[in-house]
Amino acid sequence: MNCVIPGVNIKVFGRAVQSLSKIGEELYVEPLEHGLALRTVNSSRSAYACFLFAPSFFQHYDDGSGQTTNGSGKEEGEEEAIRCKITMKSCLTVFKSVYTLEKTVERCKIKLDMTESRLVFQLHCRHGIVKTHNLAFIECETLQAVFSKDMCPNSLTASARLLCDAVQNFQNNQEEVTLIVKPDKILLKNYVEDEPDPTKVMHTELRLEPEEFDNIQVGVDSEITFCLKEMRAILAFSEATNLPVSLKFETAGRPIVFSIDSDSAFEANFVLATLADTMTQQGGSSNVPTESKTSQKRKHTSNSRTSVKAINKSQTSRKETESMNIGRANETEEQSVRINEHEDSFLSRRKPNNKSPDHEGRSNRLNAALSELMNDDMDDIMLDQETREEISKQPIPPELGTKSVSGRDRITTRSPVPSTSRENISPLIPLQSSKPQIFNITTEDVEMKENEEEEEELVPGTPPSKRFRSMFFGSQSSTITQSSQRTVTKELSVLAEDTDDEG
Amino acid sequence: MKDQMALSTQQSNDDDQYLLLAKVDNVRHVSTILKAIHFKEIATLFASPMGLKVTVEDAKCVQANAFIQETIFHHYIIKEEQVTFKINLTVLLECLTIFGSSAVPGVSTSLKMCYAGYGCPLLLILEEDGVLTDCSIKTLEPDEVLDFNFLSTNVINKIIMKSECLKEAFSELDMTSEVLQILLSPDPPYFRLSTFGNSGSTHSDFPKDSDMVESFQCTQTQTNRYKISLLKPSVKALALSARVSIRIDNRGFLSLQYMIKNEDGQVCFVEYYCSPDEDVDEADH
């Protein structure tokens, strides 16, 4: 890789890095044929951000794939292009002050020094001063999120100003906001977690005038809750660059995509998980009760590996929570199980892809992914399951009473040492488990997964206590939306983050 | 009796008893310079007919001197060749900025500073808009200060440059690096500042023909490392300065001289000496 950012664009690049730094702690740098991709994912993996700087953004751009002339050689060349990740901190030192960048930097060279194994940022400043940053990197696989913005029924486009003004009304420590979209109104309000006394919490609700938006398209009424911090990161960038932001989303539990597009020079996509809200999802899930059962069975058969792991986890957590009452301990179990499931969904998506060089398999899987994307039933099933579990722990409206009782029974009658029955009550069913195509994981793959999983440890302090559907990361779909079909095949080998640094 | 005198705003014959008497219209002329060397609590103050020199040292490796020459004061009387005492610089600065440290247009605080001799406190009388503050700061027994024996005849490489670009370089220093490496050479890259931190190395190169460089007198290539924690405090002086002279002698000792212009256009100097961390360049003598 070797590219040069001209002085006029350095500010945008710097802002992009700063914006990414508010989301993740590692920066994934990937030179592609159609541009330089900078990506990051947050520690709980509920937010993913990607900037793609097109070759036209640069004064000079060479993705380092070498020979790009002959047709078949192209693919190989691209395989060779190095993908790497660097710590966000180190990159931030390069682009620390946008003000001085703008004022002093005339051009910025980015290159990979393979002999020294360094990613080199060279800032050519005024007065002939040259600042060279040689940053250590780790070679890694592509970080990719599964999301689709083209098929979202809801879409809003607004100036950064409008959204910034709206967001400013929330307190700085506000974690999540809820966006409510109906054909006649758009509301933004702060999301209040299960407070013992809701009257003691400040509620802020803003009604946004549809006329103020550049574009509005509401296919389904939705009420989605997502993190404010990441949204602020996006808005900071769009405000600085004065570009409108478009929001594409469906319903609660499905990711929301914030996109910023500058005429062919660069594009940015931020994918945020949304809270799978119990109340709003209740209705949607009721129409697929039969499938719910079958998928649960499938999970039972196919994911016994997961369950085993889950049991281990739950046992350890039980030890830790011995002094607590049973109900509390159960909660902890559920959380740890859920974490495992998250990891599983990462791994199982990644591994098979990694192992299949043949095109046939790829396109199959691509189809699978596509149909998966189109098909929402799965999520509803999951949510349904999840909902029941959730409900059992909460005071709930009367019409849900029966369900909740059964849920509670299930939990309380569980034997203190969970045996194989444990898998029946895993609160989450990984997405892929219901898709036969993705089952075509060979046994060795599974074994590999297991090995890997043993290495993986729970990151302390990051239980998804809120039900963010974090796991939309995996492989394919973003390529469909993001770029040409050609890249689809290439990026199929795409993986989530390397596991090495998970511990 | 002393107290009565202190409250008096008039010129008094009692002033005769002081070994040192200095008055300045704008206390900021003194306080800003002292802030530039304020990285340790205790400072040694040397007064001579030339003016004041305030010295701060750390780790027996770095020394900062602020020179406030006699012309900065509108009234400066000293009865001995040299008056020396140690003082708590933090307290001194607090007193000097008691009316606030930021510049307010049209308002300036005047200062009268008196010292009666060994064992006596340093008396400060500050006045702003008719409001008087009377301070008395205990002085301490002076210690010997380091003599770096830095002779200009031993200087091998010397650069004088505008501070502007160095400010940026210093403010961006990677503090995860233990050392700052300074390379001075008659050949490219001429002047290079390097750090070696957790995330990799960083080099800032300044070509000798840059319009930031006013004088470039390098005779041979020298690479020396200095503890970044010791050099970092000099950023305070750098931030105030207009020009900086960087000199390294044959032993690798570093001298940084900052030229600081005050609001009235008068020039003061702050000087830092730092010993090298390790001698990576064996070529010198």
Side-chain angles (χ1 to χ4, degrees):
Chain A
M1 175 177 63
N2 192 349
C3 48
V4 180
I5 305 169
V8 287
N9 281 342
I10 192 81
K11 188 177 127 191
V12 172
F13 197 84
R15 293 265 187 208
V17 171
Q18 291 188 345
S19 170
L20 289 168
S21 75
K22 287 172 193 151
I23 291 178
E25 281 167 7
E26 279 168 332
L27 182 68
Y28 292 74
V29 180
E30 185 179 350
L32 301 167
E33 195 192 345
H34 56 281
L36 179 68
L38 298 184
R39 303 186 171 108
T40 193
V41 62
N42 70 351
S43 56
S44 59
R45 304 187 163 244
S46 61
Y48 161 89
C50 171
F51 278 86
L52 183 71
F53 297 97
S56 62
F57 180 83
F58 300 91
Q59 212 171 60
H60 168 79
Y61 183 79
D62 171 16
D63 65 336
S65 59
Q67 69 283 10
T68 47
T69 42
N70 49 348
S72 60
K74 194 180 271 182
E75 284 249 320
E76 281 175 23
E78 277 161 3
E79 292 291 324
E80 282 162 23
I82 296 281
R83 307 180 184 96
C84 61
K85 62 177 177 184
I86 56 178
T87 62
M88 196 60 87
K89 248 187 211 162
S90 64
C91 193
L92 212 50
T93 56
V94 183
F95 300 100
K96 198 184 276 169
S97 157
V98 171
Y99 176 74
T100 50
L101 278 180
E102 193 185 4
K103 245 181 59 178
T104 64
V105 179
E106 285 167 350
R107 64 180 193 280
C108 169
K109 255 189 212 172
I110 305 171
K111 63 182 178 202
L112 268 172
D113 182 347
M114 289 317 289
T115 51
E116 298 281 325
S117 293
R118 289 285 183 270
L119 182 64
V120 182
F121 289 86
Q122 202 165 51
L123 303 174
H124 293 257
C125 307
R126 283 190 312 169
H127 313 299
I129 298 164
V130 180
K131 290 177 194 160
T132 313
H133 299 263
N134 303 303
L135 307 181
F137 66 83
I138 299 171
E139 264 188 71
C140 65
E141 299 296 342
T142 302
L143 176 75
Q144 193 59 272
V146 178
F147 67 98
S148 150
K149 53 177 184 171
D150 293 345
M151 281 174 279
C152 286
N154 296 339
S155 157
L156 301 175
T157 307
S159 67
R161 193 66 263 150
L162 175 70
L163 295 172
C164 285
D165 286 349
V167 160
Q168 258 169 19
N169 292 290
F170 297 108
Q171 287 179 313
N172 281 334
N173 59 1
Q174 181 63 43
E175 285 190 18
E176 292 106 13
V177 287
T178 305
L179 176 68
I180 302 165
V181 184
K182 295 191 171 136
D184 56 329
K185 63 176 178 182
I186 299 166
L187 295 175
L188 195 60
K189 65 178 186 183
N190 62 335
Y191 175 79
V192 182
E193 260 181 286
D194 342 314
E195 284 288 331
D197 186 359
T199 54
K200 284 195 176 150
V201 188
M202 186 166 76
H203 291 263
T204 310
E205 185 170 310
L206 295 157
R207 190 181 175 130
L208 303 174
E209 285 302 319
E211 296 83 59
E212 292 184 37
F213 286 80
D214 300 349
N215 176 46
I216 293 185
Q217 183 195 320
V218 180
V220 290
D221 293 1
S222 55
E223 182 170 340
I224 51 170
T225 303
F226 47 87
C227 281
L228 184 56
K229 182 185 151 218
E230 280 86 11
M231 184 183 178
R232 284 203 164 110
I234 301 151
L235 293 181
F237 178 80
S238 75
E239 195 179 22
T241 51
N242 205 17
L243 289 168
V245 188
S246 28
L247 290 69
K248 302 255 167 66
F249 53 97
E250 300 174 46
T251 48
R254 304 287 296 156
I256 178 169
V257 184
F258 290 77
S259 331
I260 296 167
D261 208 333
S262 152
D263 307 318
S264 74
F266 64 89
E267 66 165 70
N269 285 301
F270 290 72
V271 187
L272 309 188
T274 64
L275 215 56
D277 193 272
T278 48
M279 292 311 147
T280 53
Q281 282 304 304
Q282 198 58 40
S285 58
S286 60
N287 56 3
V288 282
T290 45
E291 276 195 45
S292 161
K293 262 184 194 163
T294 55
S295 73
Q296 201 172 333
K297 266 180 202 152
R298 272 198 202 118
K299 176 181 166 39
H300 183 102
T301 51
S302 70
N303 272 32
S304 51
R305 170 188 58 85
T306 310
S307 312
V308 171
K309 176 75 174 175
I311 289 162
N312 291 340
K313 278 294 168 191
S314 65
Q315 277 168 338
T316 53
S317 70
R318 183 169 295 274
K319 272 177 212 146
E320 284 161 18
T321 54
E322 254 171 8
S323 61
M324 299 182 190
N325 62 43
I326 286 176
R328 182 86 193 98
N330 281 335
E331 265 180 53
T332 350
E333 268 171 44
E334 277 175 32
Q335 286 196 346
S336 59
V337 171
R338 204 166 290 119
I339 292 162
N340 282 315
E341 302 268 349
H342 287 172
E343 287 173 355
D344 291 342
S345 61
F346 259 115
L347 290 165
S348 42
R349 269 163 191 273
R350 184 156 45 108
K351 276 298 165 191
N353 284 336
N354 201 13
K355 295 227 108 185
S356 66
D358 64 315
H359 259 260
E360 201 70 17
R362 276 184 184 174
S363 53
N364 274 346
R365 229 164 259 122
L366 178 63
N367 291 336
L370 254 173
S371 58
E372 190 178 315
L373 269 171
M374 308 285 265
N375 187 351
D376 274 354
D377 290 351
M378 254 332 285
D379 305 310
D380 291 333
I381 294 158
M382 288 173 62
L383 289 165
D384 189 34
Q385 265 266 312
E386 201 174 327
T387 307
R388 277 188 225 151
E389 298 275 333
E390 175 101 271
I391 286 163
S392 64
K393 291 182 291 183
Q394 289 175 357
I396 28 102
E399 69 266 23
L400 302 172
T402 48
K403 268 186 184 173
S404 93
V405 168
S406 65
R408 182 168 306 236
D409 281 345
R410 225 165 31 169
I411 288 169
T412 45
T413 55
R414 218 182 288 152
S415 66
V417 182
S419 57
T420 45
S421 68
R422 187 71 187 87
E423 64 206 52
N424 290 328
I425 50 160
S426 292
L428 269 186
I429 300 164
L431 262 176
Q432 73 274 15
S433 61
S434 73
K435 292 290 164 191
Q437 292 97 321
I438 297 188
F439 278 165
N440 297 343
I441 304 163
T442 63
T443 42
E444 43 180 283
D445 281 337
V446 175
E447 275 163 31
M448 281 202 59
K449 269 186 281 177
E450 245 167 346
N451 291 340
E452 288 227 17
E453 181 152 302
E454 275 163 20
E455 287 164 26
E456 295 216 350
E457 294 228 338
L458 281 180
V459 181
T462 57
S465 58
K466 290 162 199 154
R467 272 121 226 257
F468 274 117
R469 291 283 313 287
S470 56
M471 290 338 39
F472 45 84
F473 304 107
S475 50
Q476 304 88 341
S477 74
S478 73
T479 56
I480 298 157
T481 63
Q482 257 188 350
S483 47
S484 63
Q485 286 294 335
R486 193 150 42 89
T487 59
V488 169
T489 45
K490 182 183 67 189
E491 291 190 8
L492 268 179
S493 57
V494 162
L495 313 180
E497 190 178 7
D498 251 357
T499 45
D500 305 357
D501 60 334
E502 284 282 317
Chain B
M1 177 235 187
K2 225 176 250 176
D3 285 347
Q4 281 174 345
M5 194 286 312
L7 287 169
S8 152
T9 50
Q10 291 174 332
Q11 192 82 18
S12 149
N13 288 335
D14 291 338
D15 283 353
D16 291 347
Q17 64 176 306
Y18 296 116
L19 282 182
L20 171 69
L21 178 74
K23 292 180 188 172
V24 63
D25 287 335
N26 189 350
V27 71
R28 283 169 48 77
H29 293 171
V30 176
S31 60
T32 355
I33 303 291
L34 293 184
K35 270 184 204 159
I37 57 161
H38 183 212
F39 60 91
K40 276 277 168 186
E41 196 150 72
I42 303 297
T44 311
L45 193 146
F46 301 89
S48 75
M50 306 276 287
L52 299 180
K53 179 179 119 177
V54 186
T55 301
V56 179
E57 292 177 346
D58 191 15
K60 297 269 180 214
C61 290
V62 68
Q63 182 185 72
N65 297 305
F67 299 95
I68 308 166
Q69 61 269 42
E70 165 262 331
T71 51
I72 301 291
F73 300 95
H74 78 262
H75 190 80
Y76 186 87
I77 295 166
I78 185 161
K79 287 184 185 153
E80 287 180 5
E81 267 310 293
Q82 188 167 55
V83 176
T84 310
F85 56 86
K86 265 199 320 191
I87 194 160
N88 187 317
L89 185 59
T90 313
V91 174
L92 177 61
L93 273 169
E94 260 170 34
C95 292
L96 292 177
T97 56
I98 204 154
F99 286 111
S101 57
S102 57
V104 183
V107 183
S108 67
T109 310
S110 62
L111 165 75
K112 180 179 164 188
M113 187 162 73
C114 324
Y115 177 66
Y118 181 78
C120 296
L122 181 72
L123 301 174
L124 304 175
I125 300 149
L126 292 127
E127 190 252 305
E128 182 178 308
D129 276 345
V131 184
L132 270 181
T133 306
D134 200 349
C135 313
S136 169
I137 306 168
K138 278 182 189 154
T139 57
L140 308 165
E141 185 94 35
D143 290 332
E144 214 161 287
V145 295
L146 297 173
D147 180 7
F148 278 76
N149 194 24
F150 193 94
L151 304 171
S152 50
T153 47
N154 291 337
V155 168
I156 291 183
N157 292 315
K158 178 181 173 186
I159 288 189
I160 298 175
M161 60 198 298
K162 290 184 182 139
S163 302
E164 195 186 318
C165 55
L166 265 195
K167 275 177 207 174
E168 210 187 293
F170 265 79
S171 66
E172 286 172 6
L173 282 184
D174 178 3
M175 292 306 287
T176 62
S177 171
E178 204 183 315
V179 294
L180 173 69
Q181 180 175 293
I182 300 180
L183 177 146
L184 280 170
S185 167
D187 308 308
Y190 306 114
F191 175 38
R192 166 175 277 188
L193 299 175
S194 308
T195 53
F196 308 90
N198 293 341
S199 55
S201 62
T202 302
H203 308 289
S204 295
D205 297 345
F206 304 81
K208 67 170 182 179
D209 53 357
S210 164
D211 45 4
M212 287 284 119
V213 176
E214 301 194 336
S215 158
F216 187 88
Q217 296 161 35
C218 293
T219 53
Q220 67 185 69
T221 302
Q222 261 187 312
T223 309
N224 288 296
R225 294 182 171 202
Y226 304 90
K227 281 255 185 310
I228 210 162
S229 55
L230 296 177
L231 278 187
K232 189 69 180 177
S234 69
V235 167
K236 287 181 179 176
L238 184 64
L240 295 166
S241 67
R243 285 200 182 88
V244 56
S245 149
I246 301 161
R247 295 181 299 164
I248 296 178
D249 74 1
N250 53 355
R251 302 163 301 167
F253 279 64
L254 172 72
S255 151
L256 298 167
Q257 289 178 326
Y258 300 96
M259 191 184 93
I260 298 173
K261 275 190 181 162
N262 67 19
E263 292 144 47
D264 295 350
Q266 293 163 306
V267 172
C268 290
F269 287 93
V270 168
E271 180 181 61
Y272 272 83
Y273 288 116
C274 189
S275 56
D277 191 41
E278 59 181 303
D279 209 349
V280 290
D281 190 353
E282 306 292 350
D284 317 336
H285 301 268

